[in-house]
Amino acid sequence: MTDIVFVHGMFQNPKSWENWIRMFSDKGYNCHAPAWPLHEGDPRSLRDNPPPGLGELRLKDVIASIEATVRGLDRPVMIGHSVGGLITQILLSRGALSAGVAIDSVAPNAMVDFDWGFLKNSAIIANPLKGDEPIYMDAKTFHGAFANSLSEGEAERAFEATATHDSRNILRDCMGEDGRIDLDAPHAPLLLIGGEEDEIIPAHLTEKNHRAYKDEGSVAEFVSFPGRSHFICNEPGWEEVAQTALQFIERNGVRAGSGARSIEPMSPS
């Protein structure tokens, strides 16, 4: 069976991929959803009892953890959200993947956007005056910044089910050397997906990320979804986003049962 590795972003954990895992498993893919270090378990328990050392977690630690999973497979497909999208681009650039889908992805090489929502939320998360203090997600912030396309009630339920706290150092590191890749080099097929109502990663930043890929012999595509927030992978209509990812993967020659060796899927926690 062909392996797909799903990589979550900040303020989420593998719980956020349950719908996608069911869909892709039903299509015959062998699905893996590894947790970042210190992100294993039930989101509510993680909020109530933040793991010691969470605020000290670095991007390189997360990349190393995900790469260890990938290296145990045979050039899997990777689908990543937010920072998980950046990790997808990084591992694609290292030749470790057969294809990648980066959704509402943090852009590599310290690319920024002057959208107010992007600047505000990035400044809050990366605030250097907070040192290694974790950033604690709450329901109000989750609705306003992460799931702004949802009603208050929908956002509250989404927060309860999926939200976690996180390390400020992750976003800080995304803007540094650990978040850099060679955008001129050949790479496996890559799809970048943006949400037009995203207050954290504006769709035009994702489009800018797409335009930065320069190798004419490599496949890089961009799709933008209207009315979608940073919670694009689970808000109403997530099936359309997942189907777009699936079609891209299969259009570029990666099909269920077509090459990766079969292993037992990891628990999505």
Side-chain angles (χ1 to χ4, degrees):
M1 297 174 69
T2 297
D3 296 290
I4 295 186
V5 179
F6 294 94
V7 184
H8 65 84
M10 291 182 69
F11 308 112
Q12 298 278 273
N13 83 346
K15 179 81 172 177
S16 64
W17 290 116
E18 287 184 347
N19 289 328
W20 290 60
I21 288 170
R22 281 192 292 270
M23 177 178 172
F24 278 81
S25 294
D26 288 346
K27 296 292 185 180
Y29 290 89
N30 191 27
C31 297
H32 310 255
W36 290 9
L38 306 179
H39 285 68
E40 303 90 346
D42 176 69
R44 181 168 185 172
S45 296
L46 291 169
R47 292 195 305 271
D48 291 344
N49 300 285
L54 177 63
E56 299 169 10
L57 184 65
R58 308 303 299 244
L59 178 62
K60 65 182 180 181
D61 302 320
V62 178
I63 294 173
S65 176
I66 301 301
E67 189 167 19
T69 296
V70 168
R71 296 297 182 184
L73 306 173
D74 183 9
R75 295 188 74 237
V77 175
M78 181 171 286
I79 299 177
H81 174 250
S82 195
V83 173
L86 175 59
I87 293 170
T88 298
Q89 294 184 67
I90 290 169
L91 294 185
L92 199 80
S93 76
R94 295 179 183 178
L97 308 175
S98 61
V101 178
I103 304 169
D104 288 357
S105 178
V106 173
N109 300 359
M111 279 184 231
V112 298
D113 191 272
F114 294 104
D115 175 88
W116 170 242
F118 172 81
L119 294 173
K120 177 184 69 174
N121 288 304
S122 297
I124 290 171
I125 294 169
N127 187 347
L129 300 179
K130 295 291 185 177
D132 289 338
E133 177 188 337
I135 182 163
Y136 299 104
M137 180 58 74
D138 58 61
K140 181 179 179 181
T141 302
F142 186 84
H143 185 205
F146 205 99
N148 50 288
S149 63
L150 303 184
S151 69
E152 185 174 352
E154 288 171 332
E156 175 69 28
R157 289 189 290 274
F159 170 80
E160 289 295 333
T162 70
T164 67
H165 306 314
D166 232 306
S167 169
R168 301 172 190 275
N169 285 310
I170 298 295
L171 183 59
R172 293 167 182 162
D173 291 347
C174 286
M175 297 296 109
E177 191 61 31
D178 289 335
R180 297 195 65 82
I181 60 177
D182 182 357
L183 294 167
D184 296 325
H187 57 83
L190 172 65
L191 172 64
L192 291 122
I193 293 176
E196 290 185 1
E197 299 301 321
D198 193 328
E199 291 286 331
I200 294 178
I201 304 294
H204 37 88
L205 177 56
T206 303
E207 185 175 15
K208 178 180 178 180
N209 185 168
H210 166 253
R211 291 198 308 268
Y213 280 93
K214 300 301 184 185
D215 183 64
E216 293 184 357
S218 300
V219 175
E221 297 181 11
F222 167 70
V223 177
S224 181
F225 284 88
R228 309 303 173 90
S229 70
H230 202 63
F231 199 57
I232 189 171
C233 295
N234 280 292
E235 67 186 320
W238 68 266
E239 298 93 339
E240 183 184 6
V241 182
Q243 189 65 34
T244 297
L246 176 63
Q247 290 170 351
F248 173 83
I249 291 165
E250 296 191 340
R251 189 168 67 247
N252 284 282
V254 183
R255 295 184 179 276
S258 67
R261 60 187 175 85
S262 177
I263 72 168
E264 290 300 312
M266 296 176 62
S267 169
S269 297

